[in-house]
């Protein structure tokens, strides 16, 4: 792994594809809960409107899990479908990217693996918020390159509805629940589906831009101090500084995407599909503009599912396949930005697979 400097001057970790074992995409599966929450429904309970939401985000509806349904439940559904797509239920490792784990302790991945019948395999969570799926891919690919695993199930799953403040229209209208999963196998760098490298980075000085302040050791330790005030109700919920996030997301995703294009040896106008984290349609178009890429090549499905954080890229991939927007041989660039703050990109030539 080398270190490349992005366009903003910050150093980010960039991994090059070697000449040995490479992670190859061989299965794709997704799941969203059946409950659909429209903009009109939200406008009946908070100070917002369909027009306000659509013009600012591009979202018209999202899926929310029913009471009693957790992130692990969605992850199992998507995982089963990805394994079916791959034609085999056997993997050596399960990597689950999520911001909304079933419990603070233990990780959710081991239980998901057990419920999938994958008892005894290694399993762990990745916490990189909306960049989690790209981080998960890089982690899985590292395990394959090192010979630790031959096949890896990577899942991005979220139940953001469980951490949203129902009184905050700036966040509650944006996020949805869902899960997407892929199976990676060991293969050759020249194969269709081979992940061609990664550009990853973070800037922890901006952690307050996207945060759930409560629930962790920092809040618990502060609350234990003599005379400490009662925790604020809002600390249990997700909060985001929207304008600053928009600006940093465009800058970081564009720089990371360009670094990945350079790594792959691709020109921006040679990319058939740009699959960015589905946060806001204006962010996706702004990144495409900065890369000099036609907006029409950007995959957009957030209008139907909202921002599903770590699940958004695999959900967008599956929807693009279903719509005929993504076909074997297409050059695909993926990029994300999330809390931490974190960002990451990867690329591949789309393989011949059936998504479920």
């Amino acid at each position: 792994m080398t270190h490349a400097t992005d366009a903003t001057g910050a150093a980010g970790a960039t991994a090059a594809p070697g000449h040995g074992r490479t992670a190859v995409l061989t299965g794709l599966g997704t799941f969203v809960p059946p409950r659909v929450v429209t903009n009109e429904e939200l406008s009946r309970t908070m100070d917002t409107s369909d027009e306000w939401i659509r013009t600012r985000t591009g979202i018209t509806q999202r899926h929310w899990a029913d009471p009693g349904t957790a992130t692990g439940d969605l992850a199992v559904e998507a995982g089963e479908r990805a394994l079916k797509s791959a034609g085999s239920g056997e993997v050596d490792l399960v990597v689950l990217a999520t911001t909304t784990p079933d419990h603070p302790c233990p990780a959710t991945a081991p239980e998901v693996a057990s419920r999938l019948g994958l008892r005894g395999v290694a399993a762990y969570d990745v916490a990189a918020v909306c960049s989690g799926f790209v981080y998960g891919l890089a982690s899985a690919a590292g395990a394959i390159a090192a010979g630790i695993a031959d096949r890896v199930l990577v899942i991005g799953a979220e139940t953001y509805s469980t951490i949203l403040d129902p009184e905050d229209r700036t966040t509650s209208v944006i996020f949805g629940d869902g899960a997407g999963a892929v199976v990676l196998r060991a293969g050759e760098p020249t194969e269709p589906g081979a992940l061609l490298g990664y550009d990853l980075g973070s800037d922890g000085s901006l952690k307050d831009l996207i945060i759930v302040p409560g629930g962790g050791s920092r809040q618990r330790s502060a609350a234990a101090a003599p005379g400490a005030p009662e925790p604020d109700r809002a600390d249990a919920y997700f909060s985001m500084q929207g304008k600053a996030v928009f600006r940093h997301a465009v800058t970081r995703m564009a720089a990371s995407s360009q670094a990945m294009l350079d790594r792959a040896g691709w020109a921006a106008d040679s990319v058939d599909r740009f699959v960015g984290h589905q946060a806001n349609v204006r962010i996706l178009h702004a990144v495409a503009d900065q890369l000099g890429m036609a907006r029409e090549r950007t995959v957009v499905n957030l209008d139907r599912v909202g921002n599903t954080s770590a699940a958004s890229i695999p959900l967008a991939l599956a929807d693009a396949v279903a719509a005929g927007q993504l076909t074997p041989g297409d050059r695909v660039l993926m990029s994300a930005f999330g809390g931490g703050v974190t960002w990451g990109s990867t690329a591949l030539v789309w393989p011949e697979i059936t998504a479920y």
Side-chain angles (χ1 to χ4, degrees), residues 43-212:
S43 69
R44 293 195 292 268
T45 59
M46 62 181 66
D47 182 20
T48 190
S49 67
D50 174 60
E51 181 183 9
W52 190 91
I53 299 169
R54 281 189 295 104
T55 56
R56 286 161 177 78
T57 67
I59 299 168
T60 60
Q61 65 176 46
R62 72 286 296 145
H63 294 254
W64 283 356
D66 289 326
T69 299
T71 294
D73 301 322
L74 306 188
V76 168
E77 293 282 354
E80 287 179 342
R81 298 179 185 195
L83 293 169
K84 178 181 178 182
S85 172
S88 172
E90 298 299 320
V91 297
D92 311 300
L93 169 65
V94 175
V95 179
L96 174 61
T98 187
T99 314
T100 55
D102 289 4
H103 310 282
C105 174
T108 305
E111 183 183 0
V112 169
S114 177
R115 290 174 60 185
L116 289 170
L118 302 170
R119 295 176 179 83
V121 305
Y124 55 85
D125 290 1
V126 170
V129 196
C130 301
S131 304
F133 183 71
V134 177
Y135 270 59
L137 291 177
S139 175
I144 288 174
I148 297 171
D150 291 324
R151 293 169 65 87
V152 183
L153 175 63
V154 181
I155 308 172
E158 304 284 9
T159 49
Y160 254 71
S161 61
T162 63
I163 61 171
L164 297 176
D165 184 345
E167 298 178 3
D168 182 5
R169 73 168 183 170
T170 62
T171 57
S172 288
V173 303
I174 296 172
F175 292 90
D177 301 339
V182 297
V183 176
L184 303 179
R185 62 167 175 81
E188 298 296 323
T190 55
E191 289 185 67
L195 294 169
L196 302 177
Y198 316 87
D199 179 82
L200 306 175
S202 73
D203 183 353
S205 70
L206 301 174
K207 68 178 177 63
D208 290 336
L209 294 187
I210 301 170
I211 191 169
V212 178

Side-chain angles (χ1 to χ4, degrees), residues 31-47:
F31 178 77
V32 292
R35 181 189 172 196
V36 175
V37 180
T38 64
N39 292 348
E40 289 82 0
E41 179 179 340
L42 293 178
S43 69
R44 293 195 292 268
T45 59
M46 62 181 66
D47 182 20

Side-chain angles (χ1 to χ4, degrees), residues 246-344:
F246 185 102
R247 183 175 68 255
H248 284 286
V250 172
T251 300
R252 297 297 191 177
M253 286 174 66
S256 181
S257 293
Q258 187 59 60
M260 187 59 237
L261 290 173
D262 294 343
R263 177 67 57 182
W266 293 356
D269 61 6
S270 75
V271 173
D272 297 293
R273 290 288 175 245
F274 170 56
V275 185
H277 164 55
Q278 304 287 301
N280 183 305
V281 70
R282 293 185 297 138
I283 290 176
L284 295 173
H285 287 165
V287 173
D289 292 345
Q290 287 204 15
L291 293 173
M293 185 185 303
R295 290 184 176 185
E296 293 74 21
R297 300 186 184 186
T298 300
V299 170
V300 179
N301 78 332
L302 63 88
D303 56 317
R304 302 180 298 281
V305 298
N307 181 342
T308 55
S309 191
S312 77
I313 286 180
L315 283 171
L317 289 171
D319 280 355
V321 170
Q325 297 176 336
L326 189 54
T327 57
D330 284 349
R331 288 184 169 186
V332 181
L333 172 67
M334 295 178 274
S335 186
F337 175 88
V341 297
T342 60
W343 58 88

Side-chain angles (χ1 to χ4, degrees), residues 228-254:
E230 287 292 318
D232 191 317
R233 165 190 170 277
D235 287 350
Y237 294 116
F238 176 94
S239 69
M240 179 172 65
Q241 299 177 33
K243 291 183 179 179
V245 169
F246 185 102
R247 183 175 68 255
H248 284 286
V250 172
T251 300
R252 297 297 191 177
M253 286 174 66

